[in-house]
Amino acid sequence: MRSRFPPGLRSAFRNPALKLIICPLTDLDKALAAQPSHALSLISPEAESPICTTANHLILRFNDINAPREGLISPTAKQVTSLISFSQNWSGESPLLAHCWAGISRSTAAAYIIACERTPGKEMEFAQQLRAAAPEATPNPWMIALADTLLNRNGRMSAAIAAIGRGVEAGQGALFTWDI
């Protein structure tokens, strides 16, 4: 018997939780072993492009900075729009992977943005879940502010990330998964 639900809704019933994988570049191969359908690389402009042939792959290039700085490239609204569009094309049937150099700032910001885009109104809850899952997570506030504006959250995303504060000091984050 065929289902009466549209494909996206059917997958939501099969997978009540959407799985995000967040990691530093050093754990990329380990994360790819989980067979994500989508991989998001948030890397510096001069970094070598990682190879993710088994997943739909988006590479966004900017430095991990919170404000404009001479000689560095900051995240843009266009890039955050690309991130949001990329995640909207993710069905959730397989995990979505987000990684950056250290797995602390750009990738955790991307994961938080994706969670907030998928489920409006849970900005504080998602920020607290992110902190619990990754004590070192310090989501890039510029990315969060851009997404907050693009998603019309009226400052709630930025306020929630500010409320959890800076994560514990770490040179590199640990690979973790987050069910949203």
Side-chain angles (χ1 to χ4, degrees), residues 146-178:
L146 290 168
D148 197 312
T149 299
L150 291 165
L151 296 172
N152 298 311
R153 300 304 165 83
N154 302 313
R156 291 189 309 273
M157 290 173 67
S158 293
I161 292 302
I164 64 168
R166 182 173 178 77
V168 298
E169 281 298 316
Q172 179 173 297
L175 182 150
F176 70 98
T177 61
W178 182 18

Side-chain angles (χ1 to χ4, degrees), residues 18-29:
L18 301 170
K19 185 174 292 298
L20 298 172
I21 302 169
I22 301 93
C23 71
L25 180 60
T26 56
D27 287 333
L28 182 59
D29 287 339

Side-chain angles (χ1 to χ4, degrees), residues 9 13 33-34 37 40 63 71 90 119 125 141 153 158 165 176 180:
L9 193 54
F13 283 114
S37 62
L40 177 59
N63 296 105
W90 170 51
T119 311
E125 180 181 336
R153 300 304 165 83
S158 293
F176 70 98
I180 57 170

Side-chain angles (χ1 to χ4, degrees), residues 31-44:
L32 287 170
Q35 300 181 324
S37 62
H38 288 64
L40 177 59
S41 297
L42 302 128
I43 58 177
S44 298

Side-chain angles (χ1 to χ4, degrees), residues 4 10 13 17 25 28 38 44 52 54 70-71 77 80 83 114 116 142 146 156 162 169-170 178:
R4 293 176 291 160
R10 276 198 313 272
F13 283 114
L25 180 60
L28 182 59
H38 288 64
S44 298
C52 300
T54 59
E70 184 80 26
V80 175
L83 183 160
I114 292 166
C116 289
W142 192 322
L146 290 168
R156 291 189 309 273
E169 281 298 316
W178 182 18

